[in-house]
Each structure stands twice: as C-alpha cells, then as structure tokens.
Amino acid sequence: MSSNNQQTINLNKYISSSGICSRREAERFINEGRVTINGKPTQLGNRVGKKDVVKLDGRLVTPKNKTLYIALNKPVGIVSTTDGREPNNIVKHINHPERLFPIGRLDKPSEGLIFLTNDGDIVNKILRAGNNHEKEYFVSVNKSITPNFIDKMSNGIPILGTITQKCKVEKVADKIFKIILTQGLNRQIRRMCEYLDYEVTKLKRTRIMNVTLGYLQTGDWRELTEDEMKEINNMISTSSKTEEASKIQEKPKKKISKKKPVAAKNPFNKKSATFRKSSPKNKRKNNSFSSKKKRR
C-alpha cells in the first residue's frame, strides 16, 4: 500500500467509489477486517495507490473511472491534438495522469479557453452548431474596424462553400472586436476576416457556454466546478450528439407528404385505362379522327 498522498486515495473512499457501498459502510467493512490491500489486513486511514490490489471478502474492488472536465488557457503554439507525433500537442502540455482529449479545436496561433475531458459522450453535444452553444472571442486585426466590417461579419461571410451563420460582433477598440459564434468551421474567424481584407494579429477565446477564462493564467488549467458542470448538463440536455440524430428525427415528417397517395401504382387503373382505349366508344372517336385525316 502506497504512502504517497499525492497519488493515493483513502481506502474507504476507494471502496465507495466502486459503487459497492457508501463510505460509512466501507469504514465498517474495514473495521470488521473484511478488506485487504495486496493480501494484507487493513485499518482506517490506509491509502490506496494505482498499483494496489484491494479486495472485500476476497473479491476484487475496482473503482469507477472519474469523469474529468478541464478548462485550459491554451498558449499560442500548442496544437489541439492527441497525436503523439506532434511535439507540441495539447495532451503533452497538460501532462495529466488520466487520458484526456480536447473538445473541439483552437488553432495553433490562437490562445485561450479550451475544454479537455475523458467523457466522449459530451463532446458532440457541445460542438454541434445546431445546438447553439456560444463561444466568445476577442480578436485583434491589422487595421481599423469599420461599421461595414461589423455589419458584414455579423450577417454572414461566404467561406468553405457555405455562408457563416449570423453572429454577434461588437467593436471594442480601433483594431479589436468581440465575436460570439455558435459555429466551429475550420479557422472560421481568420477566414471571415481574410474575406474582408483584414488580417488577424491576435485571437483569444474567453468563453465557452457558461464557462469563462477568468483569472486562469496562460498555460494553466483547472477542473470545472460542480456548478459549472450542472449548468452545462442543463444546457446540453436537449442537444443532439450528432447530425445523424437530427436527420433521424426529420425522417417521419418527410414520409408524410402530399405526393404519397399519387405515388402508389394501382394495376386496376392500368387495366381500366387499357379497357377504355379499346372500348367501342373510343374506337369510334379514333376512327373519326383518322377519317378526318384521310379527307385532308
């Protein structure tokens, strides 16, 4: 059993985190001599490290993995990837003992707030533009910002084969503006500025949904608070995880259409049509038409 407090957990907390029992019940089991660490008897106050084997009544106790949500103030030069071949990847920068991955991207030359997690379920719910989750940026450009620039940026710019969604844009200083997006197109803000003949000199994300950068220093990270996660979970409770999910919801509407009764083929109608063509009445009409032709 380990004695390094920074990498260990209290035995009773370790047992309760497995879902077997409460922390108080775990203390009772320890006092009753039913718990071992690496085959040795235990007592209250013992701590458990990653390599320790804990058993209750001879059965292995395995705690559930803790779900982590981290806010990082990403520095310029760090790449939002888990690829180990990238020397400046975000995971190496964090250097967290748990396996984490970023939620979305923040370009290498950009800085500011980015989330990391080990919860794959939450990622697409936050990222989908259709879910309207806001991301706020402060952007510096190479020349003075005009009312025309603000208007065009706000109402949509043609990039990457589409037109960007309407967004909130506000002039902060002569060459600085604030923009709030719900989209996440590749290098979106930079491309939007380039289209209007502006060059981004600095881009910093300061907010994602309800979480702000606050006083978090460049390069530092912190775990999201319980209150922050509670609000995020409320905000994403009705969000679609994927675009496919929203398509599935639309399918029933498409099936119910006015064209449906017309599309159905009825062999009786064909037969009826054939019968009408070959009926004596139609034959007389056809003959009279052909006879008129002959007279001409």
Side-chain angles (χ1 to χ4, degrees), residues 67-75 78-82 89-96 98-104 112-120 122-123 126 205 208 216 219-224 229:
T67 308
L68 294 167
Y69 305 96
I70 282 173
L72 165 70
N73 187 347
K74 185 189 91 65
I78 297 298
V79 185
S80 306
T81 181
T82 58
N89 80 63
I90 199 166
V91 176
K92 284 182 181 176
H93 174 78
I94 288 278
N95 195 28
H96 197 281
E98 294 292 330
R99 184 177 176 273
L100 301 173
F101 47 88
I103 300 180
L113 186 62
I114 186 168
F115 292 161
L116 291 98
T117 185
N118 57 358
D119 178 8
I122 203 172
V123 177
I126 290 177
R205 183 157 65 196
I208 300 173
L216 196 63
D220 289 348
W221 58 268
R222 66 172 178 86
E223 288 191 27
L224 298 185
M229 281 312 304

mmCIF file of all heavy atoms in Angstrom, residues 67-75 78-82 89-96 98-104 112-120 122-123 126 205 208 216 219-224 229:
data_model
loop_
_atom_site.group_PDB
_atom_site.id
_atom_site.type_symbol
_atom_site.label_atom_id
_atom_site.label_comp_id
_atom_site.label_asym_id
_atom_site.label_seq_id
_atom_site.Cartn_x
_atom_site.Cartn_y
_atom_site.Cartn_z
ATOM 1 N N THR A 67 -15.006 10.866 -14.129
ATOM 2 C CA THR A 67 -15.188 11.666 -15.327
ATOM 3 C C THR A 67 -14.591 13.042 -15.078
ATOM 4 O O THR A 67 -14.927 13.702 -14.103
ATOM 5 C CB THR A 67 -16.675 11.797 -15.677
ATOM 6 O OG1 THR A 67 -17.255 10.494 -15.723
ATOM 7 C CG2 THR A 67 -16.857 12.455 -17.025
ATOM 8 N N LEU A 68 -13.690 13.452 -15.962
ATOM 9 C CA LEU A 68 -12.960 14.709 -15.783
ATOM 10 C C LEU A 68 -13.355 15.735 -16.835
ATOM 11 O O LEU A 68 -13.530 15.399 -18.009
ATOM 12 C CB LEU A 68 -11.451 14.459 -15.869
ATOM 13 C CG LEU A 68 -10.843 13.596 -14.754
ATOM 14 C CD1 LEU A 68 -9.435 13.182 -15.128
ATOM 15 C CD2 LEU A 68 -10.833 14.374 -13.442
ATOM 16 N N TYR A 69 -13.477 16.968 -16.411
ATOM 17 C CA TYR A 69 -13.741 18.095 -17.301
ATOM 18 C C TYR A 69 -12.776 19.203 -16.914
ATOM 19 O O TYR A 69 -12.816 19.702 -15.785
ATOM 20 C CB TYR A 69 -15.191 18.566 -17.164
ATOM 21 C CG TYR A 69 -16.199 17.468 -17.378
ATOM 22 C CD1 TYR A 69 -16.739 16.791 -16.284
ATOM 23 C CD2 TYR A 69 -16.590 17.080 -18.660
ATOM 24 C CE1 TYR A 69 -17.659 15.771 -16.459
ATOM 25 C CE2 TYR A 69 -17.506 16.059 -18.844
ATOM 26 C CZ TYR A 69 -18.042 15.411 -17.743
ATOM 27 O OH TYR A 69 -18.938 14.386 -17.926
ATOM 28 N N ILE A 70 -11.915 19.562 -17.843
ATOM 29 C CA ILE A 70 -10.830 20.501 -17.540
ATOM 30 C C ILE A 70 -10.922 21.725 -18.453
ATOM 31 O O ILE A 70 -11.216 21.603 -19.651
ATOM 32 C CB ILE A 70 -9.471 19.799 -17.710
ATOM 33 C CG1 ILE A 70 -9.199 18.915 -16.491
ATOM 34 C CG2 ILE A 70 -8.335 20.787 -17.906
ATOM 35 C CD1 ILE A 70 -7.982 18.046 -16.626
ATOM 36 N N ALA A 71 -10.672 22.896 -17.885
ATOM 37 C CA ALA A 71 -10.577 24.141 -18.646
ATOM 38 C C ALA A 71 -9.111 24.542 -18.705
ATOM 39 O O ALA A 71 -8.464 24.682 -17.667
ATOM 40 C CB ALA A 71 -11.407 25.239 -17.985
ATOM 41 N N LEU A 72 -8.591 24.717 -19.921
ATOM 42 C CA LEU A 72 -7.191 25.099 -20.126
ATOM 43 C C LEU A 72 -7.131 26.457 -20.814
ATOM 44 O O LEU A 72 -7.901 26.733 -21.728
ATOM 45 C CB LEU A 72 -6.485 24.060 -21.002
ATOM 46 C CG LEU A 72 -5.139 24.460 -21.616
ATOM 47 C CD1 LEU A 72 -4.050 24.556 -20.552
ATOM 48 C CD2 LEU A 72 -4.718 23.478 -22.714
ATOM 49 N N ASN A 73 -6.214 27.303 -20.374
ATOM 50 C CA ASN A 73 -5.902 28.535 -21.095
ATOM 51 C C ASN A 73 -4.757 28.196 -22.048
ATOM 52 O O ASN A 73 -3.586 28.283 -21.690
ATOM 53 C CB ASN A 73 -5.510 29.649 -20.128
ATOM 54 C CG ASN A 73 -5.354 30.996 -20.827
ATOM 55 O OD1 ASN A 73 -5.297 31.079 -22.040
ATOM 56 N ND2 ASN A 73 -5.279 32.050 -20.036
ATOM 57 N N LYS A 74 -5.111 27.787 -23.261
ATOM 58 C CA LYS A 74 -4.115 27.297 -24.214
ATOM 59 C C LYS A 74 -3.192 28.422 -24.694
ATOM 60 O O LYS A 74 -3.654 29.463 -25.143
ATOM 61 C CB LYS A 74 -4.809 26.686 -25.439
ATOM 62 C CG LYS A 74 -3.843 26.028 -26.428
ATOM 63 C CD LYS A 74 -4.521 25.630 -27.717
ATOM 64 C CE LYS A 74 -4.476 26.718 -28.756
ATOM 65 N NZ LYS A 74 -3.125 27.051 -29.248
ATOM 66 N N PRO A 75 -1.891 28.182 -24.614
ATOM 67 C CA PRO A 75 -0.958 29.184 -25.137
ATOM 68 C C PRO A 75 -0.845 29.089 -26.661
ATOM 69 O O PRO A 75 -1.165 28.058 -27.266
ATOM 70 C CB PRO A 75 0.377 28.800 -24.477
ATOM 71 C CG PRO A 75 0.070 27.705 -23.504
ATOM 72 C CD PRO A 75 -1.207 27.078 -23.947
ATOM 73 N N ILE A 78 0.600 25.742 -29.012
ATOM 74 C CA ILE A 78 0.137 24.414 -28.613
ATOM 75 C C ILE A 78 -0.923 23.945 -29.613
ATOM 76 O O ILE A 78 -1.820 24.712 -29.985
ATOM 77 C CB ILE A 78 -0.442 24.419 -27.186
ATOM 78 C CG1 ILE A 78 0.651 24.808 -26.179
ATOM 79 C CG2 ILE A 78 -1.042 23.071 -26.820
ATOM 80 C CD1 ILE A 78 1.827 23.849 -26.130
ATOM 81 N N VAL A 79 -0.820 22.695 -30.046
ATOM 82 C CA VAL A 79 -1.729 22.156 -31.072
ATOM 83 C C VAL A 79 -2.821 21.314 -30.415
ATOM 84 O O VAL A 79 -2.540 20.459 -29.573
ATOM 85 C CB VAL A 79 -0.949 21.294 -32.094
ATOM 86 C CG1 VAL A 79 -1.874 20.832 -33.219
ATOM 87 C CG2 VAL A 79 0.215 22.087 -32.668
ATOM 88 N N SER A 80 -4.069 21.558 -30.827
ATOM 89 C CA SER A 80 -5.224 20.861 -30.232
ATOM 90 C C SER A 80 -5.370 19.457 -30.815
ATOM 91 O O SER A 80 -6.314 19.170 -31.556
ATOM 92 C CB SER A 80 -6.507 21.668 -30.470
ATOM 93 O OG SER A 80 -6.372 22.972 -30.011
ATOM 94 N N THR A 81 -4.433 18.594 -30.485
ATOM 95 C CA THR A 81 -4.463 17.221 -30.970
ATOM 96 C C THR A 81 -3.917 16.278 -29.907
ATOM 97 O O THR A 81 -3.162 16.699 -29.033
ATOM 98 C CB THR A 81 -3.638 17.073 -32.271
ATOM 99 O OG1 THR A 81 -3.708 15.720 -32.737
ATOM 100 C CG2 THR A 81 -2.175 17.424 -32.038
ATOM 101 N N THR A 82 -4.300 14.991 -30.021
ATOM 102 C CA THR A 82 -3.754 13.966 -29.126
ATOM 103 C C THR A 82 -2.652 13.174 -29.829
ATOM 104 O O THR A 82 -2.097 12.244 -29.257
ATOM 105 C CB THR A 82 -4.863 13.001 -28.684
ATOM 106 O OG1 THR A 82 -5.456 12.394 -29.847
ATOM 107 C CG2 THR A 82 -5.945 13.730 -27.898
ATOM 108 N N ASN A 89 1.734 18.857 -28.783
ATOM 109 C CA ASN A 89 0.305 18.526 -28.663
ATOM 110 C C ASN A 89 -0.218 18.874 -27.271
ATOM 111 O O ASN A 89 0.512 18.913 -26.288
ATOM 112 C CB ASN A 89 0.034 17.069 -29.053
ATOM 113 C CG ASN A 89 0.353 16.075 -27.971
ATOM 114 O OD1 ASN A 89 -0.256 16.089 -26.899
ATOM 115 N ND2 ASN A 89 1.303 15.194 -28.243
ATOM 116 N N ILE A 90 -1.525 19.104 -27.227
ATOM 117 C CA ILE A 90 -2.175 19.639 -26.027
ATOM 118 C C ILE A 90 -2.128 18.664 -24.845
ATOM 119 O O ILE A 90 -2.067 19.072 -23.692
ATOM 120 C CB ILE A 90 -3.630 20.044 -26.363
ATOM 121 C CG1 ILE A 90 -4.185 21.002 -25.316
ATOM 122 C CG2 ILE A 90 -4.523 18.828 -26.546
ATOM 123 C CD1 ILE A 90 -5.474 21.695 -25.748
ATOM 124 N N VAL A 91 -2.124 17.373 -25.139
ATOM 125 C CA VAL A 91 -2.100 16.358 -24.077
ATOM 126 C C VAL A 91 -0.744 16.370 -23.357
ATOM 127 O O VAL A 91 -0.676 16.276 -22.132
ATOM 128 C CB VAL A 91 -2.388 14.956 -24.657
ATOM 129 C CG1 VAL A 91 -2.273 13.894 -23.577
ATOM 130 C CG2 VAL A 91 -3.783 14.925 -25.274
ATOM 131 N N LYS A 92 0.330 16.509 -24.127
ATOM 132 C CA LYS A 92 1.656 16.605 -23.515
ATOM 133 C C LYS A 92 1.772 17.866 -22.671
ATOM 134 O O LYS A 92 2.406 17.868 -21.618
ATOM 135 C CB LYS A 92 2.740 16.602 -24.605
ATOM 136 C CG LYS A 92 3.002 15.235 -25.220
ATOM 137 C CD LYS A 92 4.115 15.311 -26.237
ATOM 138 C CE LYS A 92 4.359 13.950 -26.875
ATOM 139 N NZ LYS A 92 5.387 14.015 -27.951
ATOM 140 N N HIS A 93 1.162 18.926 -23.143
ATOM 141 C CA HIS A 93 1.215 20.186 -22.392
ATOM 142 C C HIS A 93 0.495 20.050 -21.045
ATOM 143 O O HIS A 93 1.005 20.493 -20.018
ATOM 144 C CB HIS A 93 0.579 21.319 -23.204
ATOM 145 C CG HIS A 93 0.464 22.605 -22.439
ATOM 146 N ND1 HIS A 93 1.539 23.449 -22.240
ATOM 147 C CD2 HIS A 93 -0.582 23.170 -21.786
ATOM 148 C CE1 HIS A 93 1.150 24.478 -21.507
ATOM 149 N NE2 HIS A 93 -0.133 24.338 -21.217
ATOM 150 N N ILE A 94 -0.688 19.426 -21.070
ATOM 151 C CA ILE A 94 -1.460 19.226 -19.832
ATOM 152 C C ILE A 94 -0.709 18.290 -18.885
ATOM 153 O O ILE A 94 -0.659 18.491 -17.677
ATOM 154 C CB ILE A 94 -2.849 18.617 -20.155
ATOM 155 C CG1 ILE A 94 -3.745 19.665 -20.810
ATOM 156 C CG2 ILE A 94 -3.507 18.072 -18.903
ATOM 157 C CD1 ILE A 94 -4.426 20.611 -19.882
ATOM 158 N N ASN A 95 -0.161 17.194 -19.450
ATOM 159 C CA ASN A 95 0.581 16.190 -18.671
ATOM 160 C C ASN A 95 -0.248 15.657 -17.501
ATOM 161 O O ASN A 95 0.215 15.566 -16.364
ATOM 162 C CB ASN A 95 1.900 16.781 -18.165
ATOM 163 C CG ASN A 95 2.855 15.695 -17.680
ATOM 164 O OD1 ASN A 95 2.797 14.560 -18.154
ATOM 165 N ND2 ASN A 95 3.707 16.024 -16.730
ATOM 166 N N HIS A 96 -1.521 15.319 -17.809
ATOM 167 C CA HIS A 96 -2.425 14.801 -16.783
ATOM 168 C C HIS A 96 -2.281 13.281 -16.705
ATOM 169 O O HIS A 96 -2.088 12.625 -17.731
ATOM 170 C CB HIS A 96 -3.868 15.179 -17.135
ATOM 171 C CG HIS A 96 -4.819 15.067 -15.988
ATOM 172 N ND1 HIS A 96 -5.343 13.864 -15.573
ATOM 173 C CD2 HIS A 96 -5.343 16.012 -15.162
ATOM 174 C CE1 HIS A 96 -6.152 14.068 -14.545
ATOM 175 N NE2 HIS A 96 -6.178 15.365 -14.276
ATOM 176 N N GLU A 98 -4.554 11.095 -16.249
ATOM 177 C CA GLU A 98 -5.648 10.450 -16.966
ATOM 178 C C GLU A 98 -5.553 10.753 -18.458
ATOM 179 O O GLU A 98 -5.004 11.786 -18.861
ATOM 180 C CB GLU A 98 -7.002 10.950 -16.437
ATOM 181 C CG GLU A 98 -7.297 10.563 -15.004
ATOM 182 C CD GLU A 98 -7.519 9.061 -14.830
ATOM 183 O OE1 GLU A 98 -7.998 8.412 -15.797
ATOM 184 O OE2 GLU A 98 -7.211 8.534 -13.760
ATOM 185 N N ARG A 99 -6.122 9.844 -19.278
ATOM 186 C CA ARG A 99 -6.127 10.059 -20.732
ATOM 187 C C ARG A 99 -7.244 11.049 -21.073
ATOM 188 O O ARG A 99 -8.418 10.759 -20.904
ATOM 189 C CB ARG A 99 -6.352 8.733 -21.451
ATOM 190 C CG ARG A 99 -6.277 8.835 -22.964
ATOM 191 C CD ARG A 99 -6.439 7.464 -23.604
ATOM 192 N NE ARG A 99 -6.457 7.554 -25.052
ATOM 193 C CZ ARG A 99 -7.540 7.776 -25.774
ATOM 194 N NH1 ARG A 99 -8.712 7.940 -25.178
ATOM 195 N NH2 ARG A 99 -7.489 7.840 -27.095
ATOM 196 N N LEU A 100 -6.869 12.224 -21.571
ATOM 197 C CA LEU A 100 -7.832 13.271 -21.914
ATOM 198 C C LEU A 100 -7.735 13.617 -23.391
ATOM 199 O O LEU A 100 -6.719 13.367 -24.039
ATOM 200 C CB LEU A 100 -7.558 14.531 -21.085
ATOM 201 C CG LEU A 100 -7.612 14.388 -19.564
ATOM 202 C CD1 LEU A 100 -7.143 15.680 -18.914
ATOM 203 C CD2 LEU A 100 -9.010 14.031 -19.094
ATOM 204 N N PHE A 101 -8.795 14.223 -23.906
ATOM 205 C CA PHE A 101 -8.767 14.720 -25.279
ATOM 206 C C PHE A 101 -9.528 16.039 -25.329
ATOM 207 O O PHE A 101 -10.439 16.288 -24.533
ATOM 208 C CB PHE A 101 -9.344 13.708 -26.273
ATOM 209 C CG PHE A 101 -10.660 13.112 -25.845
ATOM 210 C CD1 PHE A 101 -11.864 13.726 -26.169
ATOM 211 C CD2 PHE A 101 -10.695 11.925 -25.106
ATOM 212 C CE1 PHE A 101 -13.067 13.173 -25.772
ATOM 213 C CE2 PHE A 101 -11.901 11.367 -24.708
ATOM 214 C CZ PHE A 101 -13.095 12.001 -25.049
ATOM 215 N N PRO A 102 -9.162 16.928 -26.285
ATOM 216 C CA PRO A 102 -9.794 18.255 -26.332
ATOM 217 C C PRO A 102 -11.204 18.184 -26.913
ATOM 218 O O PRO A 102 -11.498 17.341 -27.756
ATOM 219 C CB PRO A 102 -8.867 19.052 -27.250
ATOM 220 C CG PRO A 102 -8.192 18.020 -28.098
ATOM 221 C CD PRO A 102 -8.078 16.782 -27.265
ATOM 222 N N ILE A 103 -12.066 19.086 -26.452
ATOM 223 C CA ILE A 103 -13.399 19.245 -27.033
ATOM 224 C C ILE A 103 -13.284 20.354 -28.061
ATOM 225 O O ILE A 103 -13.216 21.537 -27.733
ATOM 226 C CB ILE A 103 -14.442 19.607 -25.962
ATOM 227 C CG1 ILE A 103 -14.522 18.501 -24.903
ATOM 228 C CG2 ILE A 103 -15.812 19.825 -26.599
ATOM 229 C CD1 ILE A 103 -15.529 18.775 -23.795
ATOM 230 N N GLY A 104 -13.221 19.972 -29.320
ATOM 231 C CA GLY A 104 -13.053 20.953 -30.390
ATOM 232 C C GLY A 104 -11.600 21.344 -30.565
ATOM 233 O O GLY A 104 -10.695 20.672 -30.073
ATOM 234 N N GLY A 112 -6.284 30.814 -25.543
ATOM 235 C CA GLY A 112 -7.494 30.974 -24.759
ATOM 236 C C GLY A 112 -8.129 29.681 -24.315
ATOM 237 O O GLY A 112 -7.499 28.621 -24.279
ATOM 238 N N LEU A 113 -9.428 29.770 -23.993
ATOM 239 C CA LEU A 113 -10.154 28.698 -23.327
ATOM 240 C C LEU A 113 -10.439 27.507 -24.245
ATOM 241 O O LEU A 113 -10.932 27.661 -25.359
ATOM 242 C CB LEU A 113 -11.476 29.247 -22.786
ATOM 243 C CG LEU A 113 -12.319 28.303 -21.931
ATOM 244 C CD1 LEU A 113 -11.582 27.886 -20.664
ATOM 245 C CD2 LEU A 113 -13.645 28.980 -21.561
ATOM 246 N N ILE A 114 -10.135 26.326 -23.741
ATOM 247 C CA ILE A 114 -10.490 25.076 -24.423
ATOM 248 C C ILE A 114 -10.754 24.027 -23.345
ATOM 249 O O ILE A 114 -10.103 24.030 -22.300
ATOM 250 C CB ILE A 114 -9.392 24.610 -25.412
ATOM 251 C CG1 ILE A 114 -9.868 23.384 -26.214
ATOM 252 C CG2 ILE A 114 -8.076 24.325 -24.702
ATOM 253 C CD1 ILE A 114 -8.976 23.058 -27.401
ATOM 254 N N PHE A 115 -11.739 23.173 -23.594
ATOM 255 C CA PHE A 115 -12.073 22.094 -22.659
ATOM 256 C C PHE A 115 -11.333 20.822 -23.047
ATOM 257 O O PHE A 115 -11.127 20.537 -24.225
ATOM 258 C CB PHE A 115 -13.571 21.785 -22.684
ATOM 259 C CG PHE A 115 -14.459 22.871 -22.137
ATOM 260 C CD1 PHE A 115 -15.816 22.906 -22.458
ATOM 261 C CD2 PHE A 115 -13.968 23.853 -21.286
ATOM 262 C CE1 PHE A 115 -16.651 23.891 -21.959
ATOM 263 C CE2 PHE A 115 -14.789 24.842 -20.777
ATOM 264 C CZ PHE A 115 -16.141 24.862 -21.121
ATOM 265 N N LEU A 116 -10.982 20.029 -22.026
ATOM 266 C CA LEU A 116 -10.495 18.666 -22.233
ATOM 267 C C LEU A 116 -11.282 17.741 -21.323
ATOM 268 O O LEU A 116 -11.714 18.142 -20.233
ATOM 269 C CB LEU A 116 -9.003 18.543 -21.931
ATOM 270 C CG LEU A 116 -8.069 19.256 -22.905
ATOM 271 C CD1 LEU A 116 -7.664 20.604 -22.345
ATOM 272 C CD2 LEU A 116 -6.826 18.413 -23.201
ATOM 273 N N THR A 117 -11.473 16.500 -21.761
ATOM 274 C CA THR A 117 -12.282 15.566 -20.983
ATOM 275 C C THR A 117 -11.921 14.131 -21.326
ATOM 276 O O THR A 117 -11.215 13.871 -22.298
ATOM 277 C CB THR A 117 -13.787 15.803 -21.267
ATOM 278 O OG1 THR A 117 -14.577 14.975 -20.427
ATOM 279 C CG2 THR A 117 -14.122 15.475 -22.717
ATOM 280 N N ASN A 118 -12.434 13.200 -20.516
ATOM 281 C CA ASN A 118 -12.362 11.780 -20.858
ATOM 282 C C ASN A 118 -13.776 11.242 -21.106
ATOM 283 O O ASN A 118 -13.996 10.045 -21.149
ATOM 284 C CB ASN A 118 -11.666 10.974 -19.747
ATOM 285 C CG ASN A 118 -12.351 11.143 -18.392
ATOM 286 O OD1 ASN A 118 -13.318 11.892 -18.253
ATOM 287 N ND2 ASN A 118 -11.836 10.459 -17.380
ATOM 288 N N ASP A 119 -14.730 12.159 -21.253
ATOM 289 C CA ASP A 119 -16.141 11.819 -21.465
ATOM 290 C C ASP A 119 -16.499 12.042 -22.931
ATOM 291 O O ASP A 119 -16.826 13.161 -23.337
ATOM 292 C CB ASP A 119 -17.018 12.695 -20.552
ATOM 293 C CG ASP A 119 -18.506 12.443 -20.748
ATOM 294 O OD1 ASP A 119 -18.857 11.486 -21.469
ATOM 295 O OD2 ASP A 119 -19.308 13.198 -20.177
ATOM 296 N N GLY A 120 -16.436 10.975 -23.721
ATOM 297 C CA GLY A 120 -16.722 11.085 -25.156
ATOM 298 C C GLY A 120 -18.158 11.446 -25.460
ATOM 299 O O GLY A 120 -18.465 11.971 -26.529
ATOM 300 N N ILE A 122 -20.060 13.739 -24.180
ATOM 301 C CA ILE A 122 -20.407 15.160 -24.094
ATOM 302 C C ILE A 122 -19.874 15.976 -25.273
ATOM 303 O O ILE A 122 -20.364 17.070 -25.562
ATOM 304 C CB ILE A 122 -19.877 15.763 -22.770
ATOM 305 C CG1 ILE A 122 -20.672 17.017 -22.399
ATOM 306 C CG2 ILE A 122 -18.395 16.059 -22.840
ATOM 307 C CD1 ILE A 122 -20.331 17.557 -21.022
ATOM 308 N N VAL A 123 -18.879 15.429 -25.984
ATOM 309 C CA VAL A 123 -18.136 16.205 -26.975
ATOM 310 C C VAL A 123 -19.031 16.780 -28.068
ATOM 311 O O VAL A 123 -19.109 17.995 -28.266
ATOM 312 C CB VAL A 123 -17.003 15.362 -27.600
ATOM 313 C CG1 VAL A 123 -16.289 16.152 -28.690
ATOM 314 C CG2 VAL A 123 -16.011 14.938 -26.527
ATOM 315 N N ILE A 126 -21.683 19.476 -27.261
ATOM 316 C CA ILE A 126 -21.182 20.837 -27.102
ATOM 317 C C ILE A 126 -20.810 21.435 -28.458
ATOM 318 O O ILE A 126 -21.057 22.614 -28.721
ATOM 319 C CB ILE A 126 -19.965 20.864 -26.155
ATOM 320 C CG1 ILE A 126 -20.410 20.561 -24.715
ATOM 321 C CG2 ILE A 126 -19.246 22.215 -26.206
ATOM 322 C CD1 ILE A 126 -19.277 20.500 -23.714
ATOM 323 N N ARG A 205 -9.873 33.087 -27.230
ATOM 324 C CA ARG A 205 -11.208 32.660 -26.813
ATOM 325 C C ARG A 205 -11.325 32.848 -25.301
ATOM 326 O O ARG A 205 -10.488 32.359 -24.546
ATOM 327 C CB ARG A 205 -11.457 31.201 -27.192
ATOM 328 C CG ARG A 205 -12.870 30.745 -26.845
ATOM 329 C CD ARG A 205 -13.306 29.560 -27.679
ATOM 330 N NE ARG A 205 -12.520 28.370 -27.422
ATOM 331 C CZ ARG A 205 -12.498 27.300 -28.225
ATOM 332 N NH1 ARG A 205 -13.198 27.298 -29.344
ATOM 333 N NH2 ARG A 205 -11.768 26.261 -27.921
ATOM 334 N N ILE A 208 -16.652 29.671 -23.246
ATOM 335 C CA ILE A 208 -17.370 28.582 -23.903
ATOM 336 C C ILE A 208 -18.628 28.345 -23.075
ATOM 337 O O ILE A 208 -18.548 28.011 -21.890
ATOM 338 C CB ILE A 208 -16.553 27.282 -23.973
ATOM 339 C CG1 ILE A 208 -15.249 27.486 -24.749
ATOM 340 C CG2 ILE A 208 -17.367 26.154 -24.611
ATOM 341 C CD1 ILE A 208 -14.312 26.292 -24.712
ATOM 342 N N LEU A 216 -7.583 32.595 -15.059
ATOM 343 C CA LEU A 216 -6.715 31.466 -15.403
ATOM 344 C C LEU A 216 -5.560 31.957 -16.269
ATOM 345 O O LEU A 216 -5.765 32.519 -17.357
ATOM 346 C CB LEU A 216 -7.532 30.397 -16.146
ATOM 347 C CG LEU A 216 -6.924 29.006 -16.273
ATOM 348 C CD1 LEU A 216 -6.722 28.367 -14.899
ATOM 349 C CD2 LEU A 216 -7.819 28.114 -17.132
ATOM 350 N N GLY A 219 -1.437 28.888 -20.127
ATOM 351 C CA GLY A 219 -0.756 27.609 -19.890
ATOM 352 C C GLY A 219 -1.296 26.834 -18.705
ATOM 353 O O GLY A 219 -1.018 25.643 -18.559
ATOM 354 N N ASP A 220 -2.082 27.492 -17.835
ATOM 355 C CA ASP A 220 -2.636 26.822 -16.650
ATOM 356 C C ASP A 220 -3.986 26.170 -16.973
ATOM 357 O O ASP A 220 -4.660 26.548 -17.933
ATOM 358 C CB ASP A 220 -2.820 27.812 -15.506
ATOM 359 C CG ASP A 220 -1.496 28.262 -14.908
ATOM 360 O OD1 ASP A 220 -0.461 27.644 -15.230
ATOM 361 O OD2 ASP A 220 -1.502 29.244 -14.141
ATOM 362 N N TRP A 221 -4.379 25.206 -16.133
ATOM 363 C CA TRP A 221 -5.675 24.560 -16.296
ATOM 364 C C TRP A 221 -6.290 24.303 -14.926
ATOM 365 O O TRP A 221 -5.606 24.334 -13.912
ATOM 366 C CB TRP A 221 -5.547 23.250 -17.084
ATOM 367 C CG TRP A 221 -4.623 22.225 -16.481
ATOM 368 C CD1 TRP A 221 -3.295 22.069 -16.755
ATOM 369 C CD2 TRP A 221 -4.947 21.210 -15.511
ATOM 370 N NE1 TRP A 221 -2.766 21.033 -16.020
ATOM 371 C CE2 TRP A 221 -3.764 20.485 -15.257
ATOM 372 C CE3 TRP A 221 -6.114 20.849 -14.851
ATOM 373 C CZ2 TRP A 221 -3.729 19.417 -14.356
ATOM 374 C CZ3 TRP A 221 -6.080 19.791 -13.954
ATOM 375 C CH2 TRP A 221 -4.895 19.080 -13.717
ATOM 376 N N ARG A 222 -7.592 24.070 -14.934
ATOM 377 C CA ARG A 222 -8.321 23.756 -13.709
ATOM 378 C C ARG A 222 -9.484 22.830 -14.065
ATOM 379 O O ARG A 222 -9.934 22.786 -15.213
ATOM 380 C CB ARG A 222 -8.857 25.030 -13.054
ATOM 381 C CG ARG A 222 -9.934 25.753 -13.878
ATOM 382 C CD ARG A 222 -10.573 26.884 -13.109
ATOM 383 N NE ARG A 222 -11.561 27.611 -13.911
ATOM 384 C CZ ARG A 222 -12.832 27.258 -14.042
ATOM 385 N NH1 ARG A 222 -13.288 26.157 -13.447
ATOM 386 N NH2 ARG A 222 -13.669 27.983 -14.769
ATOM 387 N N GLU A 223 -9.966 22.084 -13.067
ATOM 388 C CA GLU A 223 -11.169 21.278 -13.282
ATOM 389 C C GLU A 223 -12.395 22.177 -13.194
ATOM 390 O O GLU A 223 -12.423 23.121 -12.401
ATOM 391 C CB GLU A 223 -11.257 20.162 -12.238
ATOM 392 C CG GLU A 223 -10.235 19.051 -12.450
ATOM 393 C CD GLU A 223 -10.506 17.833 -11.583
ATOM 394 O OE1 GLU A 223 -11.675 17.611 -11.217
ATOM 395 O OE2 GLU A 223 -9.540 17.112 -11.261
ATOM 396 N N LEU A 224 -13.382 21.886 -14.029
ATOM 397 C CA LEU A 224 -14.625 22.644 -13.959
ATOM 398 C C LEU A 224 -15.324 22.348 -12.637
ATOM 399 O O LEU A 224 -15.264 21.225 -12.130
ATOM 400 C CB LEU A 224 -15.550 22.282 -15.126
ATOM 401 C CG LEU A 224 -15.014 22.585 -16.534
ATOM 402 C CD1 LEU A 224 -16.081 22.283 -17.577
ATOM 403 C CD2 LEU A 224 -14.567 24.029 -16.662
ATOM 404 N N MET A 229 -20.543 22.422 -14.227
ATOM 405 C CA MET A 229 -20.969 21.204 -14.917
ATOM 406 C C MET A 229 -22.479 21.004 -14.833
ATOM 407 O O MET A 229 -23.102 20.508 -15.764
ATOM 408 C CB MET A 229 -20.246 19.983 -14.326
ATOM 409 C CG MET A 229 -18.828 19.821 -14.810
ATOM 410 S SD MET A 229 -18.633 19.950 -16.613
ATOM 411 C CE MET A 229 -19.768 18.694 -17.197
#
